[in-house]
């Protein structure tokens, strides 16, 4: 039996969970999330917790057991506290600005790259530290938007220029050797 899947998902105060068969709706101060779970997974709503169970003899159900519980926990955490991914911009002249609710990226192209937020996502830009925060209730969507922003200009290994996650470390490469070192005289 899955050790993660066995744990009940506790529902904090201010969060409302509705389980209708395989459809789950979670409402909280940060928004509302809906998801339909796989038919091999069974969800039970008790007083202030939701338990996930699955048939452990079926390998597909066994694989979905812990994953379904983790997804449900992320939904509850997202609507109560929310999720944030922080991106850092490195490079001379590279910066990000807010234009209304749109994120404008100036990262070495001949034009600024606009990035429109989907529903449920907001951006924060700190000009001093060159950081962009992607905030939202849906952990999967926050991570995907952060990955899409990083994809605009991924960090390069020679100078470290580009957009990277705050916790990411870039493996740097040595450049070319200088003239007169080891060459002909």
């Amino acid at each position: 039996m899955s050790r993660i899947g066995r744990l009940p998902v506790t529902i904090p105060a201010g969060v409302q969970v509705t389980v209708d068969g395989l459809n789950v709706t979670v409402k909280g101060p940060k928004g509302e999330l809906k998801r339909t779970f796989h038919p091999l997974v069974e969800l039970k709503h008790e007083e202030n917790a939701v338990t996930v169970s699955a048939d452990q003899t079926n390998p597909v159900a066994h694989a979905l057991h812990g994953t379904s519980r983790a997804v449900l926990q992320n939904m509850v955490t997202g609507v109560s506290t929310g999720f944030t991914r922080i991106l850092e911009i490195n490079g001379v002249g590279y910066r990000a600005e807010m234009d209304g609710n749109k994120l404008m990226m100036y990262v070495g192209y001949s034009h600024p790259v606009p990035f429109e937020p989907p529903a449920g996502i907001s951006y924060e830009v700190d000009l001093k530290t060159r950081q962009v925060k992607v905030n939202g209730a849906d952990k999967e969507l926050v991570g995907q938007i952060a990955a899409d922003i990083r994809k605009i200009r991924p960090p390069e290994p020679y100078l470290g220029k580009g957009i990277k996650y705050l916790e990411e470390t870039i493996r740097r490469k040595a450049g070319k050797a200088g003239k007169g070192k080891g060459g002909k005289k």
Side-chain angles (χ1 to χ4, degrees), residues 3-4 20 52 64 77 83 85 87 94 96 101-102 108 115 126 128 130 139 150 156 172 176 182:
R3 293 182 186 200
I4 297 290
D20 182 27
V52 179
L64 290 170
T77 305
F83 291 103
R85 279 311 295 254
L87 299 160
Y94 287 16
N101 65 344
K102 192 187 310 181
F115 214 83
D126 187 5
K128 191 167 192 145
R130 292 188 187 178
K139 185 175 186 177
R150 183 184 180 275
E156 53 96 14
R172 302 291 291 271
K176 290 183 176 180

Side-chain angles (χ1 to χ4, degrees), residues 87-90 94-97 124-132:
L87 299 160
E88 190 175 50
I89 301 170
N90 295 320
Y94 287 16
R95 68 186 193 281
E97 294 176 353
E124 292 177 29
V125 176
D126 187 5
L127 297 173
K128 191 167 192 145
T129 58
R130 292 188 187 178
Q131 290 182 351
V132 176

Side-chain angles (χ1 to χ4, degrees), residues 85-143:
R85 279 311 295 254
I86 302 174
L87 299 160
E88 190 175 50
I89 301 170
N90 295 320
V92 177
Y94 287 16
R95 68 186 193 281
E97 294 176 353
M98 293 299 295
D99 182 22
N101 65 344
K102 192 187 310 181
L103 181 68
M104 300 298 285
M105 305 290 292
Y106 299 90
V107 286
Y109 296 119
S110 63
H111 57 282
V113 181
F115 214 83
E116 193 78 37
I121 297 292
S122 65
Y123 303 125
E124 292 177 29
V125 176
D126 187 5
L127 297 173
K128 191 167 192 145
T129 58
R130 292 188 187 178
Q131 290 182 351
V132 176
K133 292 182 182 179
V134 182
N135 303 316
D138 189 357
K139 185 175 186 177
E140 187 177 345
L141 185 60
V142 167

Side-chain angles (χ1 to χ4, degrees), residues 21-125:
L22 299 173
N23 299 322
V24 176
T25 305
V26 182
K27 294 180 185 175
K30 299 279 183 178
E32 177 180 351
L33 296 175
K34 296 179 183 180
R35 183 174 287 257
T36 302
F37 286 88
H38 199 276
L40 294 175
V41 177
E42 185 179 332
L43 302 163
K44 292 180 186 170
H45 182 68
E46 289 146 10
E47 293 174 15
N48 61 347
V50 177
T51 56
V52 179
S53 60
D55 180 19
Q56 298 303 315
T57 58
N58 185 343
V60 175
H62 183 69
L64 290 170
H65 187 196
T67 303
S68 299
R69 190 259 177 212
V71 166
L72 184 61
Q73 178 66 52
N74 287 340
M75 289 172 68
V76 170
T77 305
V79 298
S80 60
T81 60
F83 291 103
T84 300
R85 279 311 295 254
I86 302 174
L87 299 160
E88 190 175 50
I89 301 170
N90 295 320
V92 177
Y94 287 16
R95 68 186 193 281
E97 294 176 353
M98 293 299 295
D99 182 22
N101 65 344
K102 192 187 310 181
L103 181 68
M104 300 298 285
M105 305 290 292
Y106 299 90
V107 286
Y109 296 119
S110 63
H111 57 282
V113 181
F115 214 83
E116 193 78 37
I121 297 292
S122 65
Y123 303 125
E124 292 177 29
V125 176

